[in-house]
Amino acid sequence: MRRPQRRAVAKQSRAKDGDEIRLLEAWIDAGKPLPGTKPPPPSEESSAANARVRARDVVAKAAAGDYSDYGASTRFDELPLSQKTKDALRKAGYKEMSEIQRAALPHALCGHDVLGAAKTGSGKTLAFVIPVIEKLYREKWSQEDGVGCIILSPTNDLAGQIWEVVRKVGKHHNFSGGAIVKRTGIEQEKERINSLNILVCTPGRLVQHFDETPNFDCSNLQILVLDEADQILDKNFKSQVDIILSQIPKARQTLLFSATQTKSVKDLARVSLKNPEYISVHEQASTATPDNLEQCAMIVPLEQKLNMLWSFIKRHLKSKILVFLSSVKQVKFVYEIFKKLRPGIPLKCMHGRMKYEVQQAIVAEFSESTSVLFSTDIFARGLDIGNVDWVVQVDCPESVALYIHRVGRTARYNKKGKSLIFLCPQEERMLEKLKATESKIPINVRNQKWNNWSRYLRM
Ligand SMILES: Nc1ncnc2c1ncn2[C@@H]1O[C@H](COP(=O)(O)OP(=O)(O)OP(=O)(O)O)[C@@H](O)[C@H]1O
């Protein structure tokens, strides 16, 4: 039983939350952006020197009933967000919003469905995590209310990473939740899934719960998020996504994000978007890949690709290198032979047949150290590892979109990065696609004779 003093504190805190929620709702309603509007370019006023003063003014004015149009905000603390979320963002070092966050957050906060597109590494995760937390907070969501939000991700690792962002931003709130990934075991998950408010998972795992967990109930769902939406809506996940959509209410907010967003009317009809805001902040940009990314392609005979890779690694022993290969077999093979040859830099490998805990340990080690990681495309989308110097593609990606996601593991959020792709003459068709004007990929091609390559590998 709670002591009377603790009960009084809890009551006081609930009353404070209630006051803040009323203020936020009035502010969100009064200052909401009109449908179809974009934020104006940041003005001189938004310089760091007076930004904090301006943010304080905005909040003080809102408290006095004078609500600003938050659609023009440049900082998180100028938005109508709960103090708990603002404190968590500040502590995590997030102050200025990125372009996609500036454009998407005002619309998402006031309940619009959003179809968001922005380059890899540009901060899309916060653009959907913040609205999720704020919506549940304003709805006074508690453990008894059950599942209020589902965030779908194509892989377990990405689900785990998104959950860490939810935890970081929601750390002062009282929501329950988790990444529903293979780690815990389905039986343990079944016992607690109905008491979780925010689920982050792959479509497959969620369907397993719909099939096997007695009384699994999502009828109260408020928000559905699809990260890497174009992949979640493609044919590989089709049957699972159809089951999920048939089990959740249509009256909900839906947020779709990707660096290579779908515009297919069919896809959008499937998720029943209501007057969605199509927010593509880099649509007019001259490149589809990050500005700080240097990209290079080399044409080499198939049988020379591994020699080239070996020479490349030997010349970059002080770099963090992510190497993409197309199958588990290839990853294991290259990892094993290169390990025997001892290149002088730690080697690691990662693929979907590993246990989730092992994958997590490898990601953590790779984040910390200078090393080479051989990986399948399990790593291609979404994963945010700091300071990857090079992405090397030994096997040709099957689409331009996959190329964009693979190279997007470097040059993230204003950092610099480089990428190299080895293509054999039979794969030059992909090179044409990458070089096509509409792909907007500034790639340099080294087309010299392959046996003259060594000086080029000193890039
Ligand atoms: N406003 C911000 N200020 C500073 N850093 C930020 C901000 N927003 C995001 N970041 C950082 O930028 C990095 C990339 O963000 P995120 O993973 O959300 O990118 P993304 O757009 O989802 O990329 P991808 O398309 O590859 O999934 C992360 O390390 C994140 O912490």
Side-chain angles (χ1 to χ4, degrees), residues 94 96 101 120-125 228 382 384 409 412-413:
Y94 299 126
E96 298 287 333
Q101 292 158 359
T120 52
S122 60
K124 294 184 287 297
T125 316
E228 308 298 343
D384 183 53
R409 296 319 98 210
R412 296 181 70 70
Y413 210 86

Side-chain angles (χ1 to χ4, degrees), residues 305-321:
K305 278 193 178 184
L306 289 189
N307 281 341
M308 297 285 271
L309 179 63
W310 175 258
S311 304
F312 177 86
I313 291 173
K314 289 294 286 176
R315 284 176 192 277
H316 294 88
L317 296 179
K318 294 209 158 52
S319 300
K320 191 186 283 193
I321 305 169

